[in-house]
Amino acid sequence: EVELVESGGALVKPGGSLRVSCAASGFSVSDKDINWVRQAPGKGLEWVSAAYSGGGAIYADSVRGRFTVSRDTSKNSLSLQMNSLTADDTGVYFCARDGDNAGYMFDLWGQGTLVTVSS
Amino acid sequence: SYVLTQPSSVSVAPGRTATITCGGDNIETKSVQWYQQKSGQAPVLVLYYDEQRPSGIPERFSGSYSQHRATLTISRVEAGDEADYYCQVWDFSSDHVVFGGGTKLTVL
């Protein structure tokens, strides 16, 4: 079955760090661009990052310098390392596959993992 | 930064046609994607590259441009179509993915 499964969401204090992961099955993360999209409670979708299959990543202005994406091909997964977290980073974090690399059309989404930043 | 504007809500009776718009500067020059998100669930791609439907998406879902806005049209609306709908583009000038604010579709 082709799917994405996120994990690692938690309650973290402001200024803290957290690493969330996205495990893929049914396809190789080495072959597809994977994006992170988040959704604050009761709000809309906000793009966070794109990790390109050929290497490299880009980030939204709101997280650049604080968030870093990495790929673990041995586990067929990606991770999003989040540092210097603030309340504005609270939300459900989804990973999403770009069905047409650099086409930015997200044809497969995980179920999301909840990150809560609060003291 | 590039902004996509959607109406916050649209209401339609079952069996009628729902139209959800997405406005942005020169949006006709961009490829638009549309996502459906039901309550408590992950988004689902319903249209890509303006008007292409992924496998499994009914023909009732279609895309077009009108009056400088991208449009998602849902024909013969069903109760199961009730959801939030988001448009999305890639903005070359900023190298960012941009989502619209979302439209809540209510089936009366």
Side-chain angles (χ1 to χ4, degrees):
Chain A
E1 183 181 5
V2 179
E3 66 175 353
L4 293 168
V5 178
E6 300 92 338
S7 61
L11 171 63
V12 61
K13 288 182 167 50
S17 298
L18 187 67
R19 188 180 193 90
V20 294
S21 297
C22 170
S25 57
F27 72 99
S28 173
V29 296
S30 298
D31 295 336
K32 288 294 188 183
D33 298 348
I34 303 292
N35 283 245
W36 286 94
V37 177
R38 68 185 180 184
Q39 187 169 36
K43 302 298 184 182
L45 302 174
E46 179 189 15
W47 175 76
V48 172
S49 176
Y52 295 111
S53 59
I58 57 174
Y59 301 90
D61 295 345
S62 58
V63 307
R64 187 180 300 115
R66 300 188 300 122
F67 288 15
T68 304
V69 174
S70 60
R71 195 184 301 261
D72 186 340
T73 55
S74 67
K75 296 181 179 179
N76 203 29
S77 67
L78 277 86
S79 294
L80 181 67
Q81 176 68 41
M82 302 181 289
N83 299 328
S84 303
L85 287 163
T86 74
D88 289 341
D89 297 314
T90 293
V92 175
Y93 283 70
F94 298 98
C95 57
R97 183 182 72 175
D98 188 338
D100 189 15
N101 287 347
Y104 303 99
M105 50 84 84
F106 307 139
D107 68 342
L108 180 68
W109 294 66
Q111 84 289 350
T113 189
L114 177 61
V115 173
T116 303
V117 183
S118 175
S119 56
Chain B
S1 60
Y2 193 78
V3 176
L4 292 173
T5 301
Q6 298 182 236
S8 59
S9 64
V10 167
S11 298
V12 63
R16 305 302 292 265
T17 297
T19 300
I20 298 173
T21 60
C22 176
D25 286 345
N26 297 313
I27 194 171
E28 301 95 331
T29 65
K30 303 182 185 301
S31 291
V32 179
Q33 279 64 245
W34 290 93
Y35 300 89
Q36 175 193 71
Q37 186 180 32
K38 296 183 178 180
S39 180
Q41 298 183 19
V44 172
L45 180 69
V46 295
L47 290 176
Y48 65 100
Y49 298 165
D50 306 333
E51 59 182 5
Q52 304 300 311
R53 277 177 291 104
S55 60
I57 301 301
E59 292 183 7
R60 301 186 296 105
F61 290 78
S62 62
S64 62
Y65 286 101
S66 177
Q67 298 182 333
H68 306 293
R69 284 182 279 187
T71 299
L72 168 66
T73 301
I74 309 172
S75 304
R76 303 181 298 283
V77 167
E78 304 172 356
D81 297 331
E82 189 162 281
D84 294 325
Y85 290 85
Y86 295 90
C87 58
Q88 171 254 311
V89 302
W90 168 251
D91 178 39
F92 285 92
S93 63
S94 63
D95 281 349
H96 279 26
V97 171
V98 179
F99 284 96
T103 298
K104 182 176 182 60
L105 176 67
T106 299
V107 181
L108 301 170

